[in-house]
Amino acid sequence: METFSSVSITLLVFFAQTGTSLEIFKYKVELDVNTNLVLRWGIDYNMARIYFELSATVLPGQGLMFGFSDYGDVTGADLAVLGTHFGKVNLKDCWTDKNGILRMDFRQNYALTSGEWRNNKLLARFHRRFDTCDPMDYAIDTGTTHVIFAVTQGPLHPGQQLPSSVKVGLQRVQLLKPDLPQPDIPPDTWSFDILNPNITIPARDTTYWWYVTQLPQLPIKNHVIQYEGIITKGNEEFVHHIEVFHCQVDPWVKVTSYNGPGMAEDKSPELEACREVIGAWAMGASAIYLPNEAGTAIGGPHLSRYVLLEVHLNNPKLKTGVKDSSGIRFRVTRHLRPYDSGIMELGLEYTNKMAIPPGQSAFTLPGYCIPECTSIALPPSGIRIYASQLHTHLTGKKVFTKHFRAGIELPELNRDNHYSPHFQEIRTLPRHVHVLPGDALVTSCVDSTANRSSITLGGFSIREEMCVNYVHYYPRCQLEVCKSSVADHSLHRFFQLANATQNSDDVAERYKSVDWTPSKVASLQKLYQHAPISMQCNTSSGVRFPGYWSTKSVPRILLPRKSASTGCVKDIPWVIP
């Protein structure tokens, strides 16, 4: 049983005096196993304050650096620099400029509550506000935070450049997690795995591996209430994301066996029906718990047992002979929740009609789920979205989904301003978002191709791009995909105006032939934001809902939502931490 040190008791007294919950360090992540560097943290939403605890092995003369930057760079970083002196710990609020030179912050916004260094073990506890209103400090939000850290061989002093010998580590976390209780886990809960059958990863840059298998035999309906990725040890660099699709066929229909690379064309009719997502994982994701209101239905006499496991494998170094048995673990109960849960895809269609010109620091791709689709596809009382997984490939830098009703913008569904394709959590939302028939959901990805000299096309390859929000919701309905792409005639008109080659009907070739001047980049950006779109308003079987979907207008925004105030008073040159 864990005991409290005198430092812990002192901190508890401090928290009690300030009205902070005694459940102080609820979250934990190991930053560096070599130095036993562990970060724990707790959140006080009432005070808009975050509490940190750092523990590490720090030898005499060494120091500790901990902080944040937009995407994990050492330059332009907000840093807490910790040192030791006669058993005590001191902390300085610093930052680095574009050259990596350490600067002392004029406003010391990190408050050291307690610090102890004994027997080469450092324990420091400190806090700061989410947004200190200091331009030199990183504003912590609900998206991804890139945490950087290092145990230094000597003390760090303002005015010096970080030594090249300092090995700076990087860890991605969501610091501001919603303060929600964990849903109930009934005592009869059990688990099963859907895994790759010890396949050999192909020596190709990108492979979508498919494996048809069956769910356990369940004579009555059960609910999946939690699932998580199971990654073969050592294969973390290869497995990009995983999905398990339930095959929507009659229970007596036998689905064709398959175990191999995904088939782009000529799928059997049974595999075409394997579209309903019942479990998903992506790099960095932790276990997802369904809310007490809902569970994913499996089993019983009316549902097929067949599922299709899809594992996106990324092997840019073309390694050979690597075996993989990755997949997803499901936890199941016979205690049914009130509603069946579903997963819906929002954003952009997987197509090379959507592309990002080279050399762009921030290019926005919007994908639409329009009112005409939700009007006919959602139940009259609507759906409630409880979790969201944002997804791009390598150029994604920012992803967000906006919610509109009758042209009026409602609170955003989800946003990540420091998105990383290497950390794609399924994130539980702080509130269940009620989406009604006639609402619009617009998912936008801001991509950077600053280091690319040729066009980046939309598609399935890791070097191509996607822009998707997998939303988890209840009650389940037939709408599985609500995504868009630019209408064909609008894109062809752009190619004409951009002097693209006229010798080919191939979209990729026409994109590649464009000389991407700033004016042509701006024209393509306007095209994606305002031109008519083609809609995928699809059921779980892949069939479109009735209607004409080839040329639809993008939703009109009559009343945008004002940006939330940060509460910062910019003309005050100091802030009490």
Side-chain angles (χ1 to χ4, degrees), residues 141-176:
D141 59 22
T142 58
T144 299
T145 301
H146 291 70
V147 177
I148 58 176
F149 53 88
V151 172
T152 63
Q153 294 309 307
L156 297 178
H157 300 290
Q160 75 174 104
Q161 190 167 28
L162 292 180
S164 59
S165 60
V166 175
K167 296 181 179 180
V168 179
L170 169 64
Q171 179 69 262
R172 300 175 182 91
V173 298
Q174 184 193 26
L175 287 176
L176 299 189

Side-chain angles (χ1 to χ4, degrees), residues 101-127:
I101 296 176
L102 190 69
R103 307 290 186 182
M104 179 78 79
D105 200 333
F106 177 73
R107 289 154 48 173
Q108 293 289 298
N109 292 312
Y110 289 87
L112 180 66
T113 306
S114 62
E116 185 179 62
W117 180 60
R118 184 179 299 173
N119 299 324
N120 296 335
K121 302 293 184 182
L122 180 147
L123 178 68
R125 288 170 172 148
F126 52 97
H127 63 84

Side-chain angles (χ1 to χ4, degrees), residues 12 21 53 77 97 133 198 222 289 296 362 374 379 385 429 466 469 472-473 480 483:
L12 288 173
S21 169
E53 178 191 86
D97 62 19
C133 303
N198 198 33
N222 281 238
Y289 291 83
T296 302
T374 62
I385 297 174
L429 303 180
M466 292 183 175
N469 186 355
H472 300 237
Y473 72 94
E480 182 84 11
K483 301 193 296 188

Side-chain angles (χ1 to χ4, degrees), residues 4 48 100 138 141 149 285-286 297 427 503 507 551 571 573:
F4 288 102
Y138 181 92
D141 59 22
F149 53 88
S286 53
R427 288 182 177 158
N503 300 325
V507 169
T551 306
D571 59 346

Side-chain angles (χ1 to χ4, degrees), residues 241-254:
H241 72 263
I242 305 171
E243 292 184 90
V244 175
F245 299 92
H246 196 190
C247 302
Q248 300 300 292
V249 295
D250 291 323
W252 58 86
V253 173
K254 184 176 181 180

Side-chain angles (χ1 to χ4, degrees), residues 59 126 149 159 225 257 262 333 387 401 441 467 503 518 572:
L59 303 178
F126 52 97
F149 53 88
I225 59 172
S257 297
T333 178
T401 295
L441 297 166
C467 178
N503 300 325
I572 296 180

Side-chain angles (χ1 to χ4, degrees), residues 1 15 109 229 250 277 342 398 458 515 537:
M1 181 175 178
F15 285 159
N109 292 312
D250 291 323
V277 180
K398 182 186 298 185
D515 177 18
C537 183

